[in-house]
Amino acid sequence: VGCTTEMLNAADLRVYLPLRGFADSLNLSVATALVVHQMFVLDPSLEGAMTEEERRELRQAWYAKLASQRLLSAADKKRRGKLTAYLEGCAEIEKKMKAGEVVYKEEREKWSRMDAKRAELNAIEEKLAADSKKAVKELVDNPPSPITDMRRADEHRICFVGKNTKKASPWQDMPATRKIAVTKYATAAFFRERVATNEEKKD
């Protein structure tokens, strides 16, 4: 679809990226990457200069967000999903009530439990947020060394092939089909251990 007239009129500058071959457009992320890269080539001084406090705040937000994806158990995730769906259903019932539509007894009973379900969901989210901060506290203050090799690690290059295919040549023992254990900075056990460690220190 491209940019709207409003966006084009508000732009300070229009930039054209020449295309080659059969492509007739570029994905937004690709186009942005090309423009930003060229800007740094033309003027390296444009590189940001964040203060250490700004870096720390950014690490706190993102490390905690990454850890939160590992801390919830499968049962917790299932429960949170059910609570979210329940509250969405209650929101629809509330719309019907406000619009003066017919609301059945079962729907009213469900709606009457909305506050309790929301409190339960909030409790899960609040505990997850607190545990996530505990899990990454040491990493925020002492961040891991930056990755110098940006190529995807072998353990992240798992491809979707069947069990029997993995055992057969030429797939056998290839990085993409081997099951390589990942432990540091990635597993649920790693972050849960950090939460437990920080709670012990607090006590």
Side-chain angles (χ1 to χ4, degrees):
V1 178
C3 295
T4 63
T5 302
E6 182 180 3
M7 293 171 68
L8 291 173
N9 291 336
D12 295 319
L13 181 68
R14 297 185 189 183
V15 178
Y16 173 73
L17 300 176
L19 301 174
R20 304 287 184 267
F22 295 100
D24 58 4
S25 65
L26 292 173
N27 180 282
L28 178 60
S29 62
V30 174
T32 302
L34 290 172
V35 171
V36 172
H37 175 267
Q38 186 60 23
M39 286 171 60
F40 287 138
V41 169
L42 295 173
D43 186 357
S45 68
L46 292 174
E47 183 178 348
M50 296 175 68
T51 65
E52 181 51 40
E53 183 57 32
E54 289 173 329
R55 291 173 187 269
R56 190 181 183 286
E57 289 177 3
L58 194 60
R59 288 197 297 269
Q60 176 68 71
W62 279 98
Y63 286 8
K65 186 173 183 178
L66 293 171
S68 69
Q69 298 172 21
R70 298 286 187 272
L71 288 173
L72 282 183
S73 65
D76 289 334
K77 289 178 182 177
K78 187 175 181 179
R79 182 58 184 161
R80 184 171 66 169
K82 285 185 175 181
L83 287 169
T84 300
Y86 190 99
L87 291 174
E88 288 173 352
C90 288
E92 291 301 316
I93 295 171
E94 198 166 44
K95 283 182 183 178
K96 291 173 65 176
M97 293 169 67
K98 289 180 178 179
E101 298 178 16
V102 176
V103 178
Y104 298 102
K105 179 182 177 182
E106 295 81 3
E107 291 179 312
R108 288 188 178 278
E109 289 177 352
K110 179 178 180 177
W111 178 80
S112 69
R113 294 189 291 269
M114 180 174 64
D115 290 340
K117 298 293 184 181
R118 181 179 288 118
E120 187 178 348
L121 179 60
N122 288 342
I124 292 175
E125 298 292 358
E126 287 170 8
K127 184 179 186 305
L128 178 60
D131 285 349
S132 298
K133 286 184 178 181
K134 291 176 186 175
V136 300
K137 185 177 184 301
E138 293 177 7
L139 296 175
V140 170
D141 295 327
N142 302 287
S145 299
I147 298 173
T148 55
D149 186 348
M150 295 302 290
R151 289 173 297 179
R152 185 178 295 182
D154 286 346
E155 57 264 34
H156 297 153
R157 292 171 54 226
I158 305 302
C159 61
F160 295 94
V161 296
K163 275 184 186 176
N164 295 330
T165 305
K166 286 185 178 184
K167 296 176 183 177
S169 180
W171 292 91
Q172 193 173 11
D173 294 328
M174 289 181 65
T177 57
R178 278 183 295 153
K179 188 172 182 181
I180 303 173
V182 182
T183 55
K184 199 171 186 181
Y185 307 135
T187 64
F190 172 82
F191 289 112
R192 286 171 186 162
E193 185 181 323
R194 301 279 79 71
V195 173
T197 301
N198 281 300
E199 285 181 346
E200 287 175 6
K201 288 181 179 178
K202 187 177 180 182
D203 294 338

